[in-house]
Amino acid sequence: MTNLTETNKNLNGFHYFALGWRLITRKGLKRFVILPLLANIIILGSAFWWLYGQIGGMVNWMMEKVPDWLQWLSYLIWPLSVIFILLVFTYFFSTLANIIASPFNGLLAEKLEGQITGIAPPDTGVTGILKDVPRILKRELTKIAYYLPRAIVLLLLYFIPAIGQTVAPILWFAFGAWMMAIQYNDFPFDNHKISFAAMKSSLKQDKWNNLQFGMVINIFTMIPILNLVIMPVAICGATAMWCDRYRKQHVQDGQW
């Protein structure tokens, strides 16, 4: 089968995100899209329904922490506080949805890679998928272990006057973009049993494009309705990126 994506190192993260929207509609993939989609609708839909009822009180509480001499910046600090809260909750609930749907996310990435490369993945059947669940969940916990200490440092920054209310939301957005890139790129990497450390190393060599990819996922995850379908879109975009940019580094030609 001819490669479905354009093998071009000049393609950026925005391109792969846009490509993800097209790939989720491909024949033969729709049944693998449904389960991640349902997980995202139930978890993110419920979370954001609750969050939008609470966000006003959260922002007011955060604004009370702003020193008097910075009150004149409230027109800037207020929207930054909203963005900060949305980013924190977005990543938390996206991670929860990914943990629950991770076996199905990996299966979607696997089937799409088979279509793109023309190399059929091994048919492990339902039993093989069930056997692989503990390893997949362990991988998700590895990502959380990487995320938590860095997230805690950024959260603590918020309580530093001036710096916390202006710089912390920007740093959190950049960090969230990087984590989104890690989260979704990891599915095709993990399908080939490539270690988390090796995956991070590959992404860092192409960091700007991965930050672009993660940034746009971050933004769309904060938009109601669109955020409900973002998980399979991001998986498809990340899988296309894997096939174009990373697969040759880690998999021999002609092999799965």
Side-chain angles (χ1 to χ4, degrees), residues 28-48:
L29 285 184
K30 292 179 184 177
R31 65 184 183 274
F32 301 108
V33 169
I34 290 173
L35 287 171
L37 188 60
L38 286 176
N40 222 31
I41 288 172
I42 293 168
I43 295 171
L44 271 185
S46 301
F48 274 83

Side-chain angles (χ1 to χ4, degrees), residues 1-7 16 19-20 23 26-27 29 108-121 188 235-245 247 256:
M1 182 181 294
T2 305
N3 197 311
L4 300 176
T5 67
E6 303 170 60
T7 306
Y16 288 107
L19 184 59
L23 291 173
R26 286 194 62 81
K27 184 178 180 181
L29 285 184
L108 172 58
E110 184 181 88
K111 295 301 179 183
L112 177 58
E113 183 178 343
Q115 286 195 6
I116 292 174
T117 62
I119 302 171
I235 293 166
C236 289
T239 303
M241 192 187 303
W242 151 264
C243 292
D244 276 359
R245 308 178 81 90
R247 195 177 193 278
W256 172 254

Side-chain angles (χ1 to χ4, degrees), residues 62 65-67 70 77 80 158-169:
M62 296 176 84
K65 307 298 179 185
V66 179
L70 274 179
I77 294 173
L80 286 176
Y158 195 87
F159 294 95
I160 300 175
I163 292 175
Q165 286 76 29
T166 53
V167 177

Side-chain angles (χ1 to χ4, degrees), residues 33-133:
V33 169
I34 290 173
L35 287 171
L37 188 60
L38 286 176
N40 222 31
I41 288 172
I42 293 168
I43 295 171
L44 271 185
S46 301
F48 274 83
W49 177 81
W50 174 82
L51 179 59
Y52 281 112
Q54 303 294 321
I55 196 166
M58 292 179 182
V59 171
N60 289 336
W61 178 82
M62 296 176 84
M63 291 298 295
E64 290 173 1
K65 307 298 179 185
V66 179
D68 291 340
W69 59 276
L70 274 179
Q71 289 298 325
W72 64 278
L73 275 178
S74 59
Y75 72 93
L76 176 63
I77 294 173
W78 194 92
L80 286 176
S81 297
V82 172
I83 292 170
F84 181 76
I85 291 168
L86 287 173
L87 287 171
V88 171
F89 278 83
T90 288
Y91 188 79
F92 176 79
F93 287 110
S94 293
T95 300
L96 180 61
N98 270 297
I99 291 173
I100 293 171
S102 54
F104 309 108
N105 292 341
L107 191 58
L108 172 58
E110 184 181 88
K111 295 301 179 183
L112 177 58
E113 183 178 343
Q115 286 195 6
I116 292 174
T117 62
I119 302 171
D123 186 8
T124 55
V126 175
T127 303
I129 293 170
L130 291 175
K131 285 181 178 178
D132 220 21
V133 167

